[in-house]
Amino acid sequence: WDGIFDRYLPLVERCAKREELDDVLNQMIGELSALHSFVYGGEYPSPYHGDPALFAMNDVATLGAILQRSVENRGYLVVDIPERDPDFHMIDGEPMYSPLSNQVLKLSGQAGLKPGDVIVAVNHENVMDVPDIHMLLRNMAGESVRLDVLRMESTSKFRELREAKRRLLQSQGIEAAEGRSDILPEPLVVVPMSSGESGDLAYAAWEWKTRSRAKSLAAAAGFSIGYAHLRDMSGASSMDSFVRGFYPDYNKDALIIDVRNNNGGNIDSWLLDVLQRTAWMYWEGRSSNITTGGLGWDMQYAFRGHLVVLINEHTSSDGEGFARGVSELGLGKLVGKRTWGGGIWLSSDNRLVDGGIASAPEVGTYNDNFGWGLGVEQMGVKPDVEVDNNPKSAFDGEDTQLERAISVLKEWLEEEPVALPKDPGHRKDMNKKEG
C-alpha cells in the first residue's frame, strides 16, 4: 500500500483544484478493488461564494406536479399531481402535499387543480415566453405565487359563478358561448415547494402507489398481503417505514419488503429480529379469535405468512446485508436483480484536513457458507427469481418485478397455505370419576 501511495503522490503536485485531487484519490482507492470507497466533501469553489442570498436567487422551486409544455393549450398542462399515503403525510410536523392539490388549497378557500388543467401565467408572466416554467419560480419556495389557470377539468367558485351567469343569460333568451372555448383564465394563489421537497413527494407517491398496487394484485390473486418499502437502513425514518408497513399487516398471508434502490445503513439486525419471531401458541376465547377481533398468538406480532424481498441493481450496503440475511436464515425468497455488491463495512470517520473524506472499507464480513464478503462484496446478492423492469415499461407505470413477486407468492401459498391451527376441540374431562 505504501508503494501505491508513492505511485500516485507525484500526481498531487499537478492538481490545480480540489476536484482534480478527488480524481487522484478515487484512482488510488480504486486500486483496492473494494466497494464502499467514496471521495466527497471538502473545500470546493462555489459560484455562490457562501452567500445564502445568491444561492436562493438560483434555487428553483416547483409546483409539486408533473407538467408538460403544450403549444396547443398555450400553457403548461398538468399531467399528474402526486399523492402520498393520506395516513402518513407529515414531514417534520408539516403536511406535505403538492401546492396544486385540493388538500392544500381548500384551506385558503380555493379549489385544487386536476390533471388536464392548464397553467398559462406565473405572477402575470406568460409561461410560453420563457424556455421553462421553472424559470419563473426561482427563489419562490415558501413564497406566495399567483398562477393564471384554465380549469379544463377541475371546477371552482369562479367557474361556478360564470356557469350560473351563462344559465341566467340563456333563460333570458341571450345566446352564450358553448363548449370549452368559454373557459377563461382565473387566478390561483399557491406556495411552491423546494426541489428537495418535491422529490420526496414524488418518491412517497411512488411508495403509496406501489403499496396500493401490491394489495390490489394480491386481492385479485386471492390472498392478503402487507407491503413495506425501505429507502435506506439509516435510523428512525427507516424504522418508521418498516413499522408503518409491517405492523398493520403482520397477520396477512404474505409480505413484500421492497429494498429496491435502498441506500444502506445499519438496521438489518433489527429487521431480521422482528421477522424471526415465531408463533408458538394461539389465543381463542369462547366467541372470538384473531379472525373475529380477538387475540392472535404468542409471540405477539410474529409474521406467519410467506415473505418476498424485492431487490435490484441499486440495492446497496445494508440493504444487501438484509437481503442476504433473509436468504441465509430461510425467512423468504428474493425477487429482482443482482444487487450492487458492497460487503465490506466502514465507519466514514477518516476525515481529511478540509472536512472532506476519502472513505476506506474497514470491516470484513463472513460466515461458514460464503466465507469472506458473504458472497456480496464485488458480486452482489443474486435473487432466487431473477426479473428485470424494462425501462420503457417502468416509465409507463408498469412494475414487472412487483407483478412477479405476487405470482411467486400465489404459487407458494397454493403449495403451502397459511392457516390457523385447528383448535383441539372440547377439553378432556379431567374430573375424577367414582368407580
Side-chain angles (χ1 to χ4, degrees):
W1 183 245
D2 290 338
I4 295 294
F5 177 82
D6 293 337
R7 182 190 304 170
Y8 284 91
L9 183 59
L11 295 177
V12 175
E13 298 177 358
R14 301 174 61 180
C15 294
K17 54 183 180 179
R18 184 63 168 80
E19 290 86 348
E20 293 179 354
L21 176 61
D22 282 357
D23 288 339
V24 174
L25 291 172
N26 271 314
Q27 292 179 48
M28 185 176 73
I29 291 175
E31 299 278 1
L32 293 173
S33 297
L35 280 82
H36 277 131
S37 300
F38 312 111
V39 177
Y40 58 90
E43 297 176 347
Y44 296 110
S46 168
Y48 308 122
H49 306 290
D51 187 340
L54 285 175
F55 178 81
M57 287 176 61
N58 292 278
D59 187 34
V60 178
T62 82
L63 297 174
I66 298 176
L67 308 175
Q68 179 179 328
R69 188 180 179 92
S70 173
V71 175
E72 178 184 357
N73 292 289
R74 297 188 295 277
Y76 276 76
L77 183 70
V78 178
V79 177
D80 185 48
I81 299 176
E83 295 183 3
R84 62 193 306 143
D85 186 341
D87 291 329
F88 301 100
H89 61 273
M90 307 295 285
I91 299 294
D92 295 330
E94 297 294 331
M96 189 59 63
Y97 293 108
S98 165
L100 304 182
S101 68
N102 195 59
Q103 294 97 323
V104 170
L105 294 174
K106 68 181 180 181
L107 301 177
S108 58
Q110 304 179 99
L113 298 185
K114 293 182 178 180
D117 291 335
V118 178
I119 301 170
V120 296
V122 176
N123 286 339
H124 305 289
E125 294 192 52
N126 192 317
V127 298
M128 303 303 283
D129 291 342
V130 293
D132 189 280
I133 187 175
H134 294 94
M135 293 183 68
L136 303 176
L137 295 173
R138 285 181 296 181
N139 197 24
M140 298 306 296
E143 303 291 335
S144 294
V145 169
R146 170 180 165 147
L147 305 179
D148 288 314
V149 300
L150 297 173
R151 290 188 179 272
M152 311 294 278
E153 297 296 336
S154 63
T155 188
S156 68
K157 293 179 181 178
F158 289 99
R159 186 170 178 180
E160 290 171 358
L161 288 172
R162 284 199 296 267
E163 291 292 330
K165 180 180 179 180
R166 183 169 64 175
R167 288 193 296 269
L168 177 62
L169 292 174
Q170 288 176 337
S171 69
Q172 296 174 349
I174 302 174
E175 291 296 327
E178 296 292 338
R180 287 188 169 184
S181 60
D182 67 316
I183 298 177
L184 300 175
E186 63 179 66
L188 184 67
V189 178
V190 303
V191 179
M193 55 179 25
S194 69
S195 57
E197 291 170 333
S198 180
D200 181 76
L201 172 62
Y203 201 139
W206 175 84
E207 290 176 302
W208 171 239
K209 181 179 179 181
T210 306
R211 181 175 186 268
S212 300
R213 181 181 295 175
K215 287 184 171 291
S216 176
L217 290 172
F223 63 93
S224 61
I225 198 169
Y227 172 89
H229 174 73
L230 303 180
R231 304 185 189 188
D232 55 47
M233 315 289 272
S234 300
S237 62
S238 302
M239 298 173 83
D240 287 347
S241 296
F242 178 76
V243 168
R244 291 196 299 265
F246 175 78
Y247 285 102
D249 291 329
Y250 79 95
N251 58 344
K252 297 295 191 287
D253 297 325
L255 173 66
I256 291 177
I257 298 181
D258 190 346
V259 292
R260 292 177 295 180
N261 308 310
N262 186 289
N263 292 324
N266 194 24
I267 64 168
D268 65 288
S269 59
W270 175 71
L271 297 175
L272 295 171
D273 178 60
V274 173
L275 294 173
Q276 286 184 91
R277 296 174 71 88
T278 302
W280 66 274
M281 179 268 281
Y282 300 83
W283 307 87
E284 183 163 344
R286 291 182 179 276
S287 60
S288 66
N289 60 22
I290 193 171
T291 64
T292 55
L295 295 173
W297 46 76
D298 194 358
M299 308 166 104
Q300 285 81 8
Y301 298 107
F303 175 63
R304 301 175 56 253
H306 297 314
L307 169 67
V308 160
V309 175
L310 283 173
I311 58 177
N312 68 3
E313 63 274 20
H314 300 298
T315 302
S316 61
S317 193
D318 200 42
E320 299 176 279
F322 169 69
R324 177 62 82 206
V326 167
S327 179
E328 286 292 278
L329 295 170
L331 300 177
K333 297 180 180 180
L334 309 180
V335 174
K337 292 291 290 181
R338 186 186 294 270
T339 62
W340 175 60
I344 301 176
W345 290 38
L346 73 167
S347 61
S348 295
D349 59 1
N350 53 318
R351 293 282 171 178
L352 304 178
V353 292
D354 66 349
I357 189 171
S359 67
E362 301 172 48
V363 183
T365 55
Y366 68 94
N367 68 3
D368 290 335
N369 189 18
F370 285 97
W372 285 110
L374 296 175
V376 176
E377 176 63 29
Q378 300 185 22
M379 298 174 63
V381 178
K382 184 179 179 180
D384 300 304
V385 180
E386 186 165 1
V387 55
D388 199 1
N389 271 350
N390 179 279
K392 176 61 167 61
S393 300
F395 180 81
D396 291 337
E398 297 181 21
D399 193 337
T400 307
Q401 292 171 335
L402 178 68
E403 294 170 2
R404 186 62 179 276
I406 295 296
S407 298
V408 168
L409 288 167
K410 183 176 184 296
E411 295 174 4
W412 197 353
L413 285 164
E414 289 173 351
E415 297 172 0
E416 302 176 28
V418 177
L420 288 172
K422 184 178 180 180
D423 70 70
H426 291 293
R427 186 173 182 274
K428 180 181 179 181
D429 185 358
M430 303 295 288
N431 291 326
K432 182 177 180 181
K433 296 182 180 180
E434 298 181 0

